[in-house]
Amino acid sequence: MYKRILVPTDFSKNALNAVRYALDLYAKLNCEFYFLNVFKLENYTTDTLIIPEPGSAEFEVAKAKSEENFVKLLDMLALHHDNPKHIYHTIPTFTFLSAAIKKTISNKDIDLVVMGTKGASGAKGVIFGSNTVKTMEIVSECPVLAVPKEVRFTSPKEIVFPTDFKSVFKRRELRYLIEIAKMHEATVRVLHISKKPFLKPEQEENKQLLRDILDEVAHSFHTLTEKDVADGITAFVESRDSDMIAFINHRHFFFEKIFTKPLVKEIGYDATVPILALH
């Protein structure tokens, strides 16, 4: 059974870094990688009433450039990432990125999306580009892994899982976290950040459920009494030199606080570990 992984790319260094990270993270598994490029037409904007059609000169030139970049990417992977367990597919398309991602997830039965955190524009001081944040928000069919551009792959040995214990955990939600932990013999550090040192009865029940679910991997529980969730996560990860952060993207969870615009101020300018958004 092949795992199907979607990697959107704009052929930037950051996108290439995400490709490499995904290949190394899943080096031991049989995988089909789908590389998706949404190509742009120089003279086309959303204000233009006439949408370029396949067959038009401008459309075909842009598509040919995308395909040419794919050839270069596959040549590079053949040279540096020749893994008999991996099969590569390329998808050049002209549409909105979010629509292309959703369509590919549906058509190819994708298990995981892996993205770089910044696009080719690479705006200074912005850790998670708007495309990455939007993808984490709109994709509910599978997990999304965001890889900061400075991260070089090392086998993850410690994965931080922040939670407020307010939601009932389900095994299927945590399947990919457990899979990665098993593959790399990583320990899951469950982190609870709260101003109060005690849990309510329902939180205690959810904590016990989580303990049962994580029974098949090494894990431990930690509590920080921090005012700010993002500061607490950052301090914990940096002090322990952790390798990844995983969280369940519940709508009411702290996703909005951390992974939208204020992220730059809250996490700082040096996101150093990949973020796995589970659903």
Side-chain angles (χ1 to χ4, degrees):
M1 185 73 177
Y2 276 75
K3 184 166 291 296
R4 293 165 170 244
I5 299 173
L6 171 61
V7 189
T9 178
D10 56 6
F11 306 111
S12 63
K13 285 183 180 178
N14 187 37
L16 178 58
N17 188 50
V19 169
R20 286 171 168 156
Y21 191 95
L23 298 182
D24 288 336
L25 186 67
Y26 283 92
K28 297 174 185 175
L29 289 194
N30 291 325
C31 297
E32 288 190 67
F33 287 90
Y34 291 84
F35 301 121
L36 171 70
N37 174 243
V38 175
F39 57 84
K40 295 181 173 64
L41 275 63
E42 288 181 15
N43 298 325
Y44 173 75
T45 68
T46 49
D47 299 327
T48 309
L49 293 176
I50 302 168
I51 299 173
E53 293 286 335
S56 68
E58 193 179 4
F59 184 97
E60 294 305 324
V61 165
K63 185 182 178 186
K65 188 174 180 183
S66 175
E67 290 171 342
E68 187 183 314
N69 282 325
F70 271 135
V71 170
K72 291 177 185 173
L73 174 63
L74 294 180
D75 285 346
M76 187 278 295
L77 295 183
L79 202 61
H80 299 288
H81 289 272
D82 186 19
N83 187 336
K85 290 179 177 286
H86 292 170
I87 298 169
Y88 303 138
H89 306 275
T90 59
I91 306 172
T93 185
F94 175 71
T95 183
F96 293 105
L97 178 63
S98 54
I101 288 172
K102 296 280 274 187
K103 182 180 178 182
T104 308
I105 289 171
S106 175
N107 290 352
K108 304 299 182 185
D109 193 22
I110 295 297
D111 296 300
L112 173 73
V113 178
V114 181
M115 295 182 75
T117 54
K118 271 193 232 171
S121 63
K124 196 170 182 184
V126 178
I127 300 167
F128 279 48
S130 57
N131 285 334
T132 312
V133 171
K134 189 172 182 184
T135 302
M136 283 179 154
E137 287 174 341
I138 65 162
V139 172
S140 56
E141 300 86 348
C142 67
V144 178
L145 179 65
V147 184
K149 70 170 186 175
E150 301 302 333
V151 169
R152 295 295 171 265
F153 180 82
T154 56
S155 184
K157 295 304 173 192
E158 181 166 290
I159 304 170
V160 178
F161 181 70
T163 177
D164 54 12
F165 296 118
K166 288 181 181 175
S167 299
V168 177
F169 297 100
K170 298 179 179 67
R171 285 184 190 276
R172 58 183 167 78
E173 291 176 326
L174 295 161
R175 185 160 53 102
Y176 284 91
L177 170 60
I178 291 170
E179 179 184 83
I180 291 171
K182 278 184 171 178
M183 261 193 304
H184 297 277
E185 297 180 357
T187 300
V188 177
R189 307 294 184 192
V190 180
L191 176 63
H192 180 232
I193 298 169
S194 175
K195 296 171 191 172
K196 299 173 185 175
F198 57 87
L199 296 176
K200 294 178 181 177
E202 60 267 28
Q203 287 177 299
E204 286 287 2
E205 284 182 22
N206 292 333
K207 182 178 179 179
Q208 182 56 49
L209 177 58
L210 181 59
R211 185 179 279 115
D212 294 342
I213 293 171
L214 293 176
D215 184 50
E216 50 192 309
V217 296
H219 64 276
S220 59
F221 288 83
H222 306 262
T223 303
L224 283 183
T225 49
E226 286 269 354
K227 290 180 184 175
D228 186 88
V229 172
D231 286 347
I233 295 171
T234 305
F236 187 83
V237 169
E238 287 182 352
S239 68
R240 303 178 59 88
D241 203 18
S242 306
D243 303 296
M244 187 180 288
I245 298 170
F247 71 100
I248 296 175
N249 183 12
H250 290 302
R251 286 289 174 203
H252 62 274
F253 196 40
F254 56 78
F255 178 84
E256 288 83 1
K257 296 179 191 171
I258 301 177
F259 295 101
T260 45
K261 302 291 185 213
L263 176 128
V264 174
K265 293 175 190 161
E266 294 196 45
I267 297 272
Y269 292 103
D270 53 349
T272 53
V273 297
I275 308 283
L276 177 65
L278 302 161
H279 291 272

